[in-house]
Amino acid sequence: MNHDAYDDDYIRSILNGVKSIAMVGASPVNVRPSYFAFKYLAQRGYDMIPVNPGHVGKALMGKPFVASLADIDRPIDMIDIFRNSSHIMPVVEEALRLSPPPKVIWMQLGARDDAAAEKAEAAGLKVVMNRCPKIEYGRLSSEISWMGVNSRTLSSKRAPVPTQGMRLSLNRTSFGGGQTAASDRAAKNRTETT
Amino acid sequence: MTDRVPGFSTLAVHAGAQPDPTTGARATPIYQTTSFVFNDADHAASLFGLQAFGNIYTRIGNPTNAVLEERVAALEGGTAALAVASGHAAQLVVLQQLMRPGDEIIAARKLYGGSINQFTHAFKAFGWNVAWADPDDIASFERAVTPHTKAIFIESIANPSGSITDIEAIAAVARKAGVPLIVDNTLASPYLIKPIDHGADIVVHSLTKFLGGHGNSLGGIIVDAGTFDWAKDNKYPVLSEPRPEYHGIKLQETFGNFAFAIACRVLGLRDLGPALSPFNAFMILTGIETLPLRMQKHCDNAKAVAEFLSGHAKVSAVNYAGLPGDKYNNLQRKYAPKGAGAVFTFSLKGGYEAGVNLVSNLKLFSHLANVGDTRSLVIHPASTTHSQLDDDAKVKSGAAPDVVRLSIGIEDKEDLFADLDQALNA
């Protein structure tokens, strides 16, 4: 699996397929990216579970915080890790001990741990690193285009008017080879040349 | 479903546009409104806090402008774009995110005269210093790098000379210096050159020129390549440090590879104010739909006119990179194989006087200060766009006193030959 660039189809199949998402490192502080990614995904219909031992007893959008993945009372499809790269491995190890295990490990924008990814993939899980599910959902649905972002998708169908709790279609035609952004290619080139 | 890569012409027509959600309108509507109602107080707070995708106020974003932004981002291969009121506004907004008083930018000496003025005078008043380098001498860029350097700025095809810049060589200097390369791609348009493919980190345009293409609407745009790591070395605190005006969010951490475009929008455009009218965005979008057709015709006509002038008795030299043997022909074959653009200069045996006479005697070419119109245009830079420069700077920027600049339109080329011939012989 090439984690420098993902096909849109790969990301699309994950976001279309998962229903429940546990967010490790979710923050109740409403200016933190984890807070508004959580809120966005909840508004788009995902069953969101906030995981953060520091906030047990509180709730995020009406969902009570749990201390750890083991404390979740139902199977989880995806674990979205909002932690620095150095804290990824223990979360992945904990995820792999769950029964049933999750289908997807997603590491947030800026987070990447190739060894943890390898471990999860060896156990049959799909892995995404250094991406934000909110951004990817907004991009593939073209909702993000309202900000001038290149969604790298086309559609000749009438756009939906997004409302609360509404799932948007992610099945627009992708272009640009369906690869992820130039940044990854460039970062790679940069490492190679300097 | 396998992803198929649409071609440039398909993107020029479709990228960013979708039938209107409420009416089904197929052409992009002109959302001529200042503001947008919020669903509720929480929605308003989320939008103001940059937590949700949506519209607030046309100074910050507008749905018509957003289509234009996504379309140009797609054509350039960037992650996001921001449309602004003019090409000059694009340059101002870009540099405001990068520069602080005492910082420096290295700029190619061969630039549009208006940019030379903006950099030399207006930006200097902000404490932003410019170091000029020669795009034909890559080492001059390396020599200009100092600890205060924050960016390198070049034109892909230089105005007025039409010379082609070795983008990859200068991108290598920028990479080594750890600063972004900004490329003004106005004269090439992404149809001829995609600077991001050659190492540019930021692309700016005057949309007024070939992208809009009809000489009817001003506009500018900033394209974020998504290629630069703003947090590295902490040289660009606007992107890497908490923003007090947005509850301490860090833009790169939050927006990843389109953080620069977001900074330009939510800090630059919001606070400096040079918003693009949605009507102009609509006009420019319509122009872009035919960009590939127009640009090829512009280039084909320009090459024919350059060949015609090369054989003319009153002409001493033609500088067109599309001509075999031209100093920039090798770079043109590498960077712009479809054509060398439509803006170039030539020199008259009769010098300054002959330049002034030619401009007065042309009947089809319009004498005005613009390029990239469907119509053929002519100007004498030494007495107009570059008149503020001293003689030495005029020569170095490609605007010597005997030089005339043409912007070749999409008319029938035989009519252009005839007009030039009668004016040269008048």
Side-chain angles (χ1 to χ4, degrees), chain B residues 31-298:
Chain B
Y31 289 94
Q32 191 72 21
T33 179
T34 56
S35 357
F36 302 84
V37 281
F38 307 118
N39 301 339
D40 51 41
D42 179 58
H43 180 228
S46 299
L47 288 173
F48 274 102
L50 304 182
Q51 300 178 6
F53 311 126
N55 297 297
I56 300 174
Y57 192 64
T58 287
R59 176 157 46 75
I60 303 165
N62 174 283
T64 309
N65 297 21
V67 175
L68 172 64
E69 289 160 350
E70 184 172 359
R71 184 162 306 169
V72 177
L75 293 174
E76 287 286 5
T79 53
L82 173 69
V84 293
S86 68
H88 261 34
Q91 290 169 187
L92 169 64
V93 169
V94 163
L95 292 186
Q96 194 225 2
Q97 311 318 311
L98 307 178
M99 308 278 283
R100 288 296 169 264
D103 286 344
E104 292 170 6
I105 180 167
I106 302 171
R109 200 181 294 283
K110 282 186 184 166
L111 289 189
Y112 161 52
S115 296
I116 295 177
N117 279 335
Q118 188 189 36
F119 283 42
T120 307
H121 303 293
F123 289 169
K124 198 172 178 186
F126 298 160
W128 304 346
N129 299 316
V130 57
W132 298 105
D134 179 356
D136 298 333
D137 173 14
I138 303 302
S140 70
F141 282 84
E142 286 179 57
R143 285 195 303 273
V145 174
T146 75
H148 300 291
T149 304
K150 287 295 168 68
I152 295 179
F153 186 98
I154 59 174
E155 291 178 357
S156 54
I157 299 182
N159 184 356
S161 61
S163 61
I164 313 284
T165 305
D166 190 348
I167 301 170
E168 288 175 12
I170 297 172
V173 175
R175 254 200 315 272
K176 200 171 155 202
V179 302
L181 175 65
I182 306 165
V183 177
D184 179 344
N185 199 31
T186 299
L187 291 198
S189 88
Y191 176 74
L192 295 179
I193 300 178
K194 292 171 77 173
I196 292 172
D197 289 350
H198 301 292
D201 299 297
I202 297 164
V203 174
V204 293
H205 279 277
S206 166
L207 295 169
T208 314
K209 312 302 186 311
F210 293 100
L211 282 163
H214 295 72
N216 58 25
S217 304
L218 287 185
I221 203 158
I222 300 157
V223 181
D224 184 351
T227 46
F228 197 82
D229 182 359
W230 302 103
K232 200 179 161 194
D233 306 333
N234 208 25
K235 267 161 88 170
Y236 303 95
V238 166
L239 288 124
S240 62
E241 294 299 305
R243 292 309 307 175
E245 58 276 73
Y246 291 107
H247 307 292
I249 72 166
K250 297 176 183 172
L251 294 174
Q252 168 145 327
E253 174 191 88
T254 308
F255 296 102
N257 63 18
F258 55 92
F260 185 77
I262 296 289
C264 288
R265 180 186 304 278
V266 305
L267 300 173
L269 189 56
R270 187 196 69 163
D271 294 346
L272 298 174
L276 178 68
S277 150
F279 182 79
N280 280 22
F282 171 82
M283 296 299 283
I284 293 163
L285 267 173
T286 304
I288 289 175
E289 294 186 5
T290 57
L291 172 69
L293 301 172
R294 284 186 292 104
M295 207 64 206
Q296 193 59 57
K297 176 82 169 174
H298 277 295

Side-chain angles (χ1 to χ4, degrees), chain A residues 9 30 134 145 151 175 183, chain B residues 1 6 18 46 51 70 226 257:
Chain A
D9 275 353
N30 69 2
K134 176 188 174 186
S145 305
S151 69
F175 63 83
S183 60
Chain B
M1 183 167 67
Q18 188 170 2
S46 299
Q51 300 178 6
E70 184 172 359
N257 63 18

Side-chain angles (χ1 to χ4, degrees), chain A residues 67-96:
Chain A
S68 70
L69 294 173
D71 295 339
I72 301 173
D73 57 3
R74 54 196 187 277
I76 320 155
D77 296 329
M78 174 168 128
I79 298 181
D80 181 12
I81 309 176
F82 250 99
R83 302 294 310 272
N84 292 335
S85 302
S86 58
H87 295 99
I88 301 286
M89 186 61 97
V91 180
V92 170
E93 285 169 346
E94 191 189 356
L96 293 177

Side-chain angles (χ1 to χ4, degrees), chain A residues 25-40:
Chain A
S27 170
V29 180
N30 69 2
V31 297
R32 294 301 304 156
S34 63
Y35 172 87
F36 46 87
F38 187 99
K39 184 173 160 187
Y40 177 82

